[in-house]
Amino acid sequence: MVIWLIGLSKSGKTTIAKKIKKKIKEKKKINFFHIDGDVMRNIYNDKLGHTIKDRKINAERISKFCKLLSDQGINIIASVLSNFPDWQRWNKKNIKNYKQILLKVNLKTLLTRDKQKLYRNAINGKIRNVVGVDIKFKKPIKKTIIIDNNKNLNNVNPVVEEIIKKLKI
């Protein structure tokens, strides 16, 4: 199984992915390998930036790596921004038991979570290539589970439980 968590920066993808992984292991004794989009970007150490071109390169790497692991029977939970519906469609077509979840969070909530001031700096024009500000966040593919995550990240357990229930794990 591949659980693909998508959403804007600070939407809670990584935090929720880690909790889902832990909860499924505790309850069902099923192991998942966690892949984080930012970590994958850093593994290659090839100085990919955040332009649309660089984001596409990273998206392809993550999708193909997830397929490789999934084909070997490894369960994956990926937390990635995933702003490319064409790669989401590729995942759905090529990865067995692919489940996609969008963590939907409004800009007001993202600004409260943004300790690094990513969004404020983008809004003020100090930085560029921020998805949700100067790069449009594209609507995900059909059959995506949509979860409202405008809640406090100090207690993500209700969101985690909702996701596990919707995935029927």
Side-chain angles (χ1 to χ4, degrees):
M1 173 182 281
V2 173
I3 301 170
W4 196 265
L5 286 174
I6 67 174
L8 293 169
S9 294
K10 310 299 177 208
S11 63
K13 299 179 301 290
T14 300
T15 301
I16 290 169
K18 289 176 181 178
K19 291 270 189 173
I20 290 171
K21 178 183 172 192
K22 183 179 178 186
K23 183 85 69 180
I24 292 172
K25 184 171 184 170
E26 288 170 357
K27 284 187 169 182
K28 301 289 184 175
K29 308 295 185 229
I30 301 171
N31 288 319
F32 276 79
F33 183 82
H34 179 220
I35 295 176
D36 183 85
D38 290 331
V39 172
M40 284 294 289
R41 176 186 299 277
N42 293 333
I43 285 172
Y44 287 96
N45 198 25
D46 57 4
K47 309 296 184 224
L48 278 182
H50 291 85
T51 64
I52 292 172
K53 179 183 175 187
D54 288 346
R55 288 176 183 279
K56 279 187 181 178
I57 291 168
N58 202 43
E60 179 179 4
R61 287 175 177 173
I62 295 167
S63 289
K64 289 186 174 180
F65 185 61
C66 284
K67 180 181 178 353
L68 172 73
L69 294 177
S70 179
D71 286 350
Q72 296 176 58
I74 298 169
N75 295 307
I76 308 293
I77 184 160
S79 50
V80 294
L81 195 139
S82 195
N83 199 31
F84 299 101
D86 52 334
W87 277 108
Q88 295 168 21
R89 282 188 289 281
W90 186 92
N91 292 348
K92 187 173 181 193
K93 180 180 177 186
N94 293 286
I95 298 173
K96 292 178 190 127
N97 207 5
Y98 174 79
K99 309 291 184 188
Q100 183 167 292
I101 298 150
L102 168 64
L103 296 176
K104 193 171 183 178
V105 182
N106 63 44
L107 186 58
K108 181 179 175 184
T109 301
L110 294 173
L111 286 166
T112 66
R113 296 177 183 171
D114 188 15
K115 293 179 179 73
Q116 294 89 6
K117 298 185 180 170
L118 174 74
Y119 290 106
R120 291 203 194 291
N121 287 334
I123 290 166
N124 294 331
K126 294 179 181 176
I127 59 172
R128 296 187 38 136
N129 298 317
V130 175
V131 178
V133 177
D134 56 337
I135 296 175
K136 181 182 177 187
F137 184 68
K138 296 178 183 167
K139 187 176 178 181
I141 61 169
K142 291 180 182 175
K143 298 207 175 178
T144 297
I145 297 169
I146 299 174
I147 303 291
D148 181 345
N149 194 31
N150 283 295
K151 299 163 185 85
N152 187 340
L153 274 184
N154 292 330
N155 183 12
V156 296
N157 291 329
V159 171
V160 169
E161 290 296 334
E162 180 182 359
I163 290 169
I164 291 172
K165 183 179 177 183
K166 288 191 180 211
L167 292 174
K168 298 178 183 150
I169 298 176

